[in-house]
Amino acid sequence: RFPIDRPRDTKYFQQEDNMGGERVRLYVSGQFLGFKRSKVNQYNHTALVKLQGVESKEETNFYLGKRLAYIYKAKTLKKGSHYRVIFGKVTRAHGSTGVVRSKFRKPLPSNAIGARIRCLLYPSTI
């Protein structure tokens, strides 16, 4: 299990002792359904997100105020990464089936409809 030629006090062993075993996922997956709309008008500043495992209006109360992240890949390298993030937050429930309304710092692009969104489990309200 351990390499024989490394002494026990190296950084390699310290990381292994501290890390535990299994990785912990600190977000809930969701799907961007589209924008808030009526028959005629569409409100791009409010996005509708379906969170995984949330099936009722009462269950959405836990997620109110939580941060959302839409992560996408761009062609241009910026700050050493091809990945970009648009952050937002859950504002309120939408309907009775576990869909939430959310506001992002920039309106999400329309090609993001159907894409995955991460709901980060902070800030905590419990």
Side-chain angles (χ1 to χ4, degrees), residues 40-57:
V40 177
N41 298 324
Q42 177 173 290
Y43 302 97
N44 295 338
H45 54 75
T46 303
L48 302 178
V49 177
K50 176 72 174 127
L51 297 173
Q52 190 177 25
V54 181
E55 302 299 330
S56 69
K57 189 172 189 174

Side-chain angles (χ1 to χ4, degrees), residues 29-90:
S29 186
Q31 188 176 19
F32 175 41
L33 300 180
F35 300 106
K36 184 182 129 184
R37 54 169 297 176
S38 62
K39 187 175 179 183
V40 177
N41 298 324
Q42 177 173 290
Y43 302 97
N44 295 338
H45 54 75
T46 303
L48 302 178
V49 177
K50 176 72 174 127
L51 297 173
Q52 190 177 25
V54 181
E55 302 299 330
S56 69
K57 189 172 189 174
E58 291 74 31
E59 293 175 15
T60 60
N61 290 334
F62 172 79
Y63 294 97
L64 298 183
K66 298 282 190 281
R67 292 268 164 236
L68 296 171
Y70 168 62
I71 302 170
Y72 62 100
K73 193 172 183 181
K75 199 173 267 190
T76 312
L77 188 71
K78 288 197 177 180
K79 297 182 182 175
S81 176
H82 286 282
Y83 291 97
R84 316 270 166 83
V85 181
I86 300 176
F87 284 103
K89 69 177 176 180
V90 177

